[in-house]
Amino acid sequence: MKTSQLLLAALACTWAMGAAAQWQWIDKDGRKVFSDRPPPAEIPQKSILKQPGGNAISARPVAVPPAADGASAAMAAASAPRPTGKDKELEERKAQADAAEAAKKRADEDRQAKLRAENCERARQSKAAMTSGQLFSQTNAQGERVFMDESAKAAEARRADSVIASECAPR
């Protein structure tokens, strides 16, 4: 009984060896492709990393010469499946990731634009207040309230002008 079980296990292992027969190559975009079919004809020999059995490639897909009847050749070319070596699910996930990244970038740009607009408005209000002739006070290092003189107001107005120049400029 033991030998029959051992023989059955050995048979099961050799049967699964067919699943290990895979091709591996690098496509034109630099991505590693795994397939149970040989790579397309446009993939150069140096880009093939692994092939079943480790033997040299003897039969590569060859382009069929056009038939005398152009319509039948066009129909045959249209109906023949074209191996791309790309996984559709992987491509969809990549497209979704790219769309999510673009949406995140747009949201960040919108947030930055909103902050610039708020800074621009505050700087304009500050400049208008500094040039209005009103009295303004500040708290000095000792915690005392002191009124701003004309040179301090002019310095604040210049600072507001620099913020307006940087934040209010269209981008």
Side-chain angles (χ1 to χ4, degrees), residues 128-151:
M130 289 298 154
T131 57
S132 68
Q134 296 178 351
L135 290 177
F136 286 95
S137 64
Q138 294 178 323
T139 306
N140 63 10
Q142 292 81 24
E144 301 170 337
R145 184 176 169 192
V146 293
F147 287 97
M148 294 175 72
D149 59 352
E150 290 302 316
S151 63

Side-chain angles (χ1 to χ4, degrees), residues 6-35:
L6 185 61
L7 184 60
L8 185 60
L11 180 63
C13 288
T14 58
W15 192 9
M17 290 300 287
Q22 283 208 351
W23 291 84
Q24 181 179 3
W25 69 89
I26 297 180
D27 68 359
K28 65 180 184 260
D29 299 326
R31 290 180 292 205
K32 200 178 271 191
V33 179
F34 298 90
S35 177

Side-chain angles (χ1 to χ4, degrees), residues 47-92:
S47 296
I48 299 174
L49 304 175
K50 182 181 171 192
Q51 56 191 1
N55 298 332
I57 299 173
S58 59
R60 294 276 309 249
V62 180
V64 178
D69 182 12
S72 63
M75 227 167 59
S79 65
R82 298 175 119 186
T84 61
K86 297 179 183 175
D87 187 8
K88 289 184 180 184
E89 183 179 331
L90 179 65
E91 292 295 320
E92 289 173 3

Side-chain angles (χ1 to χ4, degrees), residues 116-135:
R116 279 195 309 274
E118 289 173 0
N119 287 342
C120 175
E121 184 59 32
R122 270 191 244 118
R124 285 183 177 161
Q125 289 173 354
S126 175
K127 180 175 177 172
M130 289 298 154
T131 57
S132 68
Q134 296 178 351
L135 290 177

